[in-house]
Structures are given as C-alpha cells and as structure tokens.
Amino acid sequence: MDAPDRVSVGVLADRGLPERVIRAIVDDLPEGFAARVSAETRWRVEHRVEQVPLDEAGDIPMRALSQRHRQERGWDLLVLVTDLPRRAGSRPVVAGIDVEHGVAMISLPALGAVLVRRRTRALIIRVVRQLVAQRLGIEEDQGGRGVLARLREALAPTQRVVDGHQSAATHLALVGLRGRLRLLAGMVRDNRPWRLVPHLAGATAAAAGTAAYGVITSSFWKLADALSPLRLAGITVVAVVVMAAWLMVYNHLWDRPSETADRRKALVYNVSTATTLAIGVACMYAILFALALLAAVVLIDSGHLAQTLGHPVGVGSYMNLVWLSSSVGIVAGALGSSLEDEETVRKATYSRRERERQEGNRSQREDQPA
C-alpha cells in the first residue's frame, strides 16, 4: 500500500495557555513534520481553539472527539492540547496516543514551567510520527538504538506505558522525582501565582498599612537594629508560610477527597496549591519591601535614626528596618485576607480549568448519598 502523499493534522487547543502556545508554534509545525517525520509527505496543519470537553468520569473523550472533528473538518489526525493534568492510573501523563483512531492528547502541565513552546513543538512532532508511522512505513521513534539514544531514554523523566484496557493506546508518562517535580512546576506556572497580589486588595492594604506603621515607629527601629540577619530571614520565612497557610485553610483550598486512591492523586494538587500561594505571597512581600524601602528613605532622616539607635547608621540599618516591617506587614496581611471573598481567592489562585476540576469534584461529592 502506497503511503499518502498528503497528511492533514488538526490541533484542538484549550483556551488560555494551550491557545497561546499553539498560536506561537503552529506555523512551524509543517516544516518540523517534514524534517522529523517524512520529507516526501506534504503536511497541512490547522488549529482550532475551544474548550476540550470532559466526560462524566473527568477524562477527555479522545476517540469521540477524533471521530467528530476528523469527519467534520477532513483531518487525518487530531492532536488535543490541554492545560489539565492527566493520569494513567497513578502516573502523570505527558501525552496519550491512540494510533487506531488517529488521535493524541498533550497535557501542558507535564511539560514543566520553562521551554514550554519548544517542548510542545517537539512532543507534537513525536506523537504525530507515532500516529503515522505504520501508514508511512517509518519507525515510530527517530531516536535510534545507539548508545546515546539509550542513555537519553534512560535519563529522560518520561516512559512509554501501554494502556491495558485499550490495546491501540499508549501513554507517555512521567516517572521518578524529576518527572513529578516537572509536573508540579507546570501546574504552578499554569496557576500563575503572580496574579495573587492584585486580587487580594484587603490583604495588601493590611500588609502595607502595618509595614508603614513599622517604618515610622521608633520601637521598630530599635528592634530591627537588635536582630541579626539570620533571625530576620527566619521571621520572613515564617511570615510567608503563615500567610500562605492561612489563605489555604481559611478559604478551604485544601483538597480532601474521601476515597484513598483520590487522596493520592490529590496530593500533587495540594502541593501545587501550597506552592502557588507561597510564591504569590513572596511576590507580595517583594513589592511591599520595595515600597517600604522607598518610604523609609524618603521619611526617615539618617541623623534622627542614628540619634535614636545610638550609633552611626548606613544602608544596612535601613534594610533591617524595612525587612522587619515588611515581615510583620505580611502577617497582618494574612488577617486582612479574611475580608476577601472565597471565590475571589480561588480565581486568583487557580487556573480556569483547575477551578472546573474542583467544581466537578464538589458536585460529585454532593451527589453521593450520605
């Protein structure tokens, strides 16, 4: 049977990060397919942006989507790109490939927090090569069987896993600590922790007001001058942890599934939430520190500060004062966050698809008989 001289690839991307990534790389894909899959084949790539649906079990119905989109749009292959973490059993999945039905799925969080566009482009080329290998009469993996290829495969944080329920389906799963850390980094990036600051108006106001009070209060000057840098650093860490923990507990962000298997899966989501909050609070701390330092330089005369402390002052004296004031301000910000609406905090902490996942979990728990 002759290999087809033209292959049409459709890419269906979720809104948000998948949309931005695909728009940036879609024009380069035909050239990549020609270079890494088959130079004799003419490649046509189209992309659409819409929410990738989930079935009742919370899975992506790859085969149903493949049948519908390939028939409607005349695509030979379909690649789904989502920002939802996926699993094969207990293993986080980078990609799922169903050769029989000409469809593959890519989960962006499993690609980590950096080089996402490059990794997505390389992975799309890899899964398309696997989808068309039999039709084009080529090897599924271009890596070869040499020593370097085997070494790269052994060191990679991914591993091919055959789906025991669907013989034609395989998964590229994350393995080992490195793989799980990459998934965690990708989930935190997708949550965009830097968005936390502008959404927490009450917490930010309380933190700024307390820090300002510390900057202009002589008792803070003396206390900051008496503390060592190591103790000030410890106070900062404790302040960030306290506020992150308060936000998580007060706003019910800790995922507590009833089933044992679900608890294991929820662990990575809870660690992702805690890390997102910690980074968001750290961003708030950095902004607060910069503003407090500016206020201290403008408001506090160095001669008056030296007279109060009883010794000559320099940059270090101002830094210590701002350091302590910002840390105390962050603790006050935790209390100020109590004024925020829980849904506002959730929107600031989670990506859109992660909020949908949590809402689905809550609905399932409410539907279960007591």
PDB file of all heavy atoms in Angstrom, residues 4 28 37 59 96 123 129 135 152 176 259 274 298 326 333 337 350 356:
ATOM      1  N   PRO A   4       0.380   7.822   1.890  1.00  0.00           N
ATOM      2  CA  PRO A   4      -0.312   9.012   1.400  1.00  0.00           C
ATOM      3  C   PRO A   4       0.676  10.144   1.149  1.00  0.00           C
ATOM      4  O   PRO A   4       1.635  10.323   1.902  1.00  0.00           O
ATOM      5  CB  PRO A   4      -1.275   9.353   2.546  1.00  0.00           C
ATOM      6  CG  PRO A   4      -0.683   8.720   3.759  1.00  0.00           C
ATOM      7  CD  PRO A   4      -0.003   7.482   3.269  1.00  0.00           C
ATOM      8  N   ASP A  28       5.222  26.677  12.416  1.00  0.00           N
ATOM      9  CA  ASP A  28       6.481  25.935  12.268  1.00  0.00           C
ATOM     10  C   ASP A  28       6.282  24.429  12.179  1.00  0.00           C
ATOM     11  O   ASP A  28       7.235  23.702  11.879  1.00  0.00           O
ATOM     12  CB  ASP A  28       7.414  26.231  13.466  1.00  0.00           C
ATOM     13  CG  ASP A  28       7.770  27.708  13.565  1.00  0.00           C
ATOM     14  OD1 ASP A  28       7.826  28.364  12.513  1.00  0.00           O
ATOM     15  OD2 ASP A  28       7.980  28.186  14.699  1.00  0.00           O
ATOM     16  N   VAL A  37       9.586  13.752  10.434  1.00  0.00           N
ATOM     17  CA  VAL A  37       8.673  12.634  10.193  1.00  0.00           C
ATOM     18  C   VAL A  37       8.845  12.096   8.779  1.00  0.00           C
ATOM     19  O   VAL A  37       9.261  10.953   8.586  1.00  0.00           O
ATOM     20  CB  VAL A  37       7.196  13.056  10.438  1.00  0.00           C
ATOM     21  CG1 VAL A  37       6.270  11.848  10.223  1.00  0.00           C
ATOM     22  CG2 VAL A  37       7.015  13.601  11.852  1.00  0.00           C
ATOM     23  N   ASP A  59     -12.497  12.405  32.290  1.00  0.00           N
ATOM     24  CA  ASP A  59     -11.487  12.104  31.279  1.00  0.00           C
ATOM     25  C   ASP A  59     -11.810  12.819  29.972  1.00  0.00           C
ATOM     26  O   ASP A  59     -12.964  13.198  29.714  1.00  0.00           O
ATOM     27  CB  ASP A  59     -11.409  10.591  31.018  1.00  0.00           C
ATOM     28  CG  ASP A  59     -10.963   9.823  32.247  1.00  0.00           C
ATOM     29  OD1 ASP A  59     -10.115  10.353  32.990  1.00  0.00           O
ATOM     30  OD2 ASP A  59     -11.465   8.708  32.467  1.00  0.00           O
ATOM     31  N   GLY A  96      -1.048  11.113  25.502  1.00  0.00           N
ATOM     32  CA  GLY A  96      -1.725   9.862  25.213  1.00  0.00           C
ATOM     33  C   GLY A  96      -1.858   9.720  23.714  1.00  0.00           C
ATOM     34  O   GLY A  96      -2.183  10.689  23.019  1.00  0.00           O
ATOM     35  N   LEU A 123       7.062  17.587  21.143  1.00  0.00           N
ATOM     36  CA  LEU A 123       6.167  16.497  21.514  1.00  0.00           C
ATOM     37  C   LEU A 123       5.093  16.277  20.444  1.00  0.00           C
ATOM     38  O   LEU A 123       4.729  15.128  20.154  1.00  0.00           O
ATOM     39  CB  LEU A 123       5.521  16.791  22.868  1.00  0.00           C
ATOM     40  CG  LEU A 123       4.679  15.677  23.475  1.00  0.00           C
ATOM     41  CD1 LEU A 123       5.471  14.380  23.582  1.00  0.00           C
ATOM     42  CD2 LEU A 123       4.159  16.092  24.850  1.00  0.00           C
ATOM     43  N   ARG A 129       4.476  11.520  14.564  1.00  0.00           N
ATOM     44  CA  ARG A 129       5.312  10.476  13.957  1.00  0.00           C
ATOM     45  C   ARG A 129       4.816   9.093  14.361  1.00  0.00           C
ATOM     46  O   ARG A 129       4.735   8.179  13.542  1.00  0.00           O
ATOM     47  CB  ARG A 129       6.771  10.662  14.366  1.00  0.00           C
ATOM     48  CG  ARG A 129       7.715   9.654  13.724  1.00  0.00           C
ATOM     49  CD  ARG A 129       9.151   9.846  14.183  1.00  0.00           C
ATOM     50  NE  ARG A 129       9.986   8.845  13.541  1.00  0.00           N
ATOM     51  CZ  ARG A 129      10.611   9.011  12.369  1.00  0.00           C
ATOM     52  NH1 ARG A 129      10.475  10.146  11.712  1.00  0.00           N
ATOM     53  NH2 ARG A 129      11.350   8.051  11.842  1.00  0.00           N
ATOM     54  N   ARG A 135       1.417   3.964   8.573  1.00  0.00           N
ATOM     55  CA  ARG A 135       0.885   4.393   7.278  1.00  0.00           C
ATOM     56  C   ARG A 135       1.999   4.837   6.325  1.00  0.00           C
ATOM     57  O   ARG A 135       1.925   4.610   5.120  1.00  0.00           O
ATOM     58  CB  ARG A 135      -0.097   5.554   7.480  1.00  0.00           C
ATOM     59  CG  ARG A 135      -1.324   5.171   8.260  1.00  0.00           C
ATOM     60  CD  ARG A 135      -2.111   6.399   8.683  1.00  0.00           C
ATOM     61  NE  ARG A 135      -2.553   7.183   7.539  1.00  0.00           N
ATOM     62  CZ  ARG A 135      -3.133   8.368   7.637  1.00  0.00           C
ATOM     63  NH1 ARG A 135      -3.354   8.900   8.835  1.00  0.00           N
ATOM     64  NH2 ARG A 135      -3.529   9.012   6.552  1.00  0.00           N
ATOM     65  N   ARG A 152      19.900   8.695  26.605  1.00  0.00           N
ATOM     66  CA  ARG A 152      18.898   9.754  26.699  1.00  0.00           C
ATOM     67  C   ARG A 152      17.569   9.205  27.189  1.00  0.00           C
ATOM     68  O   ARG A 152      16.877   9.817  27.990  1.00  0.00           O
ATOM     69  CB  ARG A 152      18.711  10.433  25.330  1.00  0.00           C
ATOM     70  CG  ARG A 152      19.805  11.417  24.966  1.00  0.00           C
ATOM     71  CD  ARG A 152      19.364  12.297  23.814  1.00  0.00           C
ATOM     72  NE  ARG A 152      19.062  11.519  22.626  1.00  0.00           N
ATOM     73  CZ  ARG A 152      19.938  11.245  21.665  1.00  0.00           C
ATOM     74  NH1 ARG A 152      21.189  11.687  21.762  1.00  0.00           N
ATOM     75  NH2 ARG A 152      19.583  10.537  20.601  1.00  0.00           N
ATOM     76  N   GLY A 176       9.648   8.989  38.179  1.00  0.00           N
ATOM     77  CA  GLY A 176      10.713   9.442  39.061  1.00  0.00           C
ATOM     78  C   GLY A 176      10.460  10.821  39.656  1.00  0.00           C
ATOM     79  O   GLY A 176       9.497  11.520  39.334  1.00  0.00           O
ATOM     80  N   GLU A 259     -12.076   9.083  48.953  1.00  0.00           N
ATOM     81  CA  GLU A 259     -11.500   7.801  48.531  1.00  0.00           C
ATOM     82  C   GLU A 259      -9.981   7.812  48.692  1.00  0.00           C
ATOM     83  O   GLU A 259      -9.317   8.823  48.456  1.00  0.00           O
ATOM     84  CB  GLU A 259     -11.851   7.513  47.078  1.00  0.00           C
ATOM     85  CG  GLU A 259     -13.344   7.405  46.813  1.00  0.00           C
ATOM     86  CD  GLU A 259     -13.958   6.194  47.507  1.00  0.00           C
ATOM     87  OE1 GLU A 259     -13.222   5.221  47.743  1.00  0.00           O
ATOM     88  OE2 GLU A 259     -15.158   6.235  47.819  1.00  0.00           O
ATOM     89  N   ALA A 274      -0.268  24.880  47.556  1.00  0.00           N
ATOM     90  CA  ALA A 274       0.594  25.459  48.583  1.00  0.00           C
ATOM     91  C   ALA A 274       1.763  26.219  47.955  1.00  0.00           C
ATOM     92  O   ALA A 274       2.120  27.323  48.399  1.00  0.00           O
ATOM     93  CB  ALA A 274       1.113  24.356  49.508  1.00  0.00           C
ATOM     94  N   VAL A 298      12.683  58.144  52.145  1.00  0.00           N
ATOM     95  CA  VAL A 298      12.088  59.478  51.997  1.00  0.00           C
ATOM     96  C   VAL A 298      11.729  60.088  53.353  1.00  0.00           C
ATOM     97  O   VAL A 298      11.957  61.289  53.596  1.00  0.00           O
ATOM     98  CB  VAL A 298      10.831  59.401  51.103  1.00  0.00           C
ATOM     99  CG1 VAL A 298      10.079  60.732  51.111  1.00  0.00           C
ATOM    100  CG2 VAL A 298      11.222  59.021  49.690  1.00  0.00           C
ATOM    101  N   SER A 326       8.311  44.740  56.804  1.00  0.00           N
ATOM    102  CA  SER A 326       7.635  44.001  55.739  1.00  0.00           C
ATOM    103  C   SER A 326       7.168  42.646  56.228  1.00  0.00           C
ATOM    104  O   SER A 326       6.073  42.183  55.875  1.00  0.00           O
ATOM    105  CB  SER A 326       8.574  43.836  54.534  1.00  0.00           C
ATOM    106  OG  SER A 326       8.957  45.091  54.020  1.00  0.00           O
ATOM    107  N   GLY A 333      -1.234  41.018  56.782  1.00  0.00           N
ATOM    108  CA  GLY A 333      -1.939  40.769  55.525  1.00  0.00           C
ATOM    109  C   GLY A 333      -2.720  39.473  55.558  1.00  0.00           C
ATOM    110  O   GLY A 333      -3.772  39.354  54.914  1.00  0.00           O
ATOM    111  N   SER A 337      -6.647  39.210  54.723  1.00  0.00           N
ATOM    112  CA  SER A 337      -7.203  38.362  53.668  1.00  0.00           C
ATOM    113  C   SER A 337      -8.537  37.753  54.071  1.00  0.00           C
ATOM    114  O   SER A 337      -9.277  37.255  53.223  1.00  0.00           O
ATOM    115  CB  SER A 337      -6.213  37.243  53.327  1.00  0.00           C
ATOM    116  OG  SER A 337      -6.076  36.329  54.413  1.00  0.00           O
ATOM    117  N   TYR A 350      -6.140  29.704  41.219  1.00  0.00           N
ATOM    118  CA  TYR A 350      -6.206  28.587  40.289  1.00  0.00           C
ATOM    119  C   TYR A 350      -6.416  29.051  38.852  1.00  0.00           C
ATOM    120  O   TYR A 350      -7.025  30.098  38.605  1.00  0.00           O
ATOM    121  CB  TYR A 350      -7.359  27.644  40.659  1.00  0.00           C
ATOM    122  CG  TYR A 350      -7.208  26.979  41.996  1.00  0.00           C
ATOM    123  CD1 TYR A 350      -8.190  27.094  42.971  1.00  0.00           C
ATOM    124  CD2 TYR A 350      -6.081  26.225  42.284  1.00  0.00           C
ATOM    125  CE1 TYR A 350      -8.058  26.478  44.209  1.00  0.00           C
ATOM    126  CE2 TYR A 350      -5.934  25.605  43.520  1.00  0.00           C
ATOM    127  CZ  TYR A 350      -6.927  25.727  44.470  1.00  0.00           C
ATOM    128  OH  TYR A 350      -6.782  25.120  45.684  1.00  0.00           O
ATOM    129  N   GLU A 356     -12.558  24.395  37.267  1.00  0.00           N
ATOM    130  CA  GLU A 356     -13.583  23.490  36.737  1.00  0.00           C
ATOM    131  C   GLU A 356     -13.436  22.096  37.336  1.00  0.00           C
ATOM    132  O   GLU A 356     -14.426  21.444  37.677  1.00  0.00           O
ATOM    133  CB  GLU A 356     -13.480  23.424  35.215  1.00  0.00           C
ATOM    134  CG  GLU A 356     -13.890  24.708  34.513  1.00  0.00           C
ATOM    135  CD  GLU A 356     -13.661  24.624  33.020  1.00  0.00           C
ATOM    136  OE1 GLU A 356     -13.234  23.548  32.542  1.00  0.00           O
ATOM    137  OE2 GLU A 356     -13.891  25.618  32.326  1.00  0.00           O
TER     138      GLU A 356
END
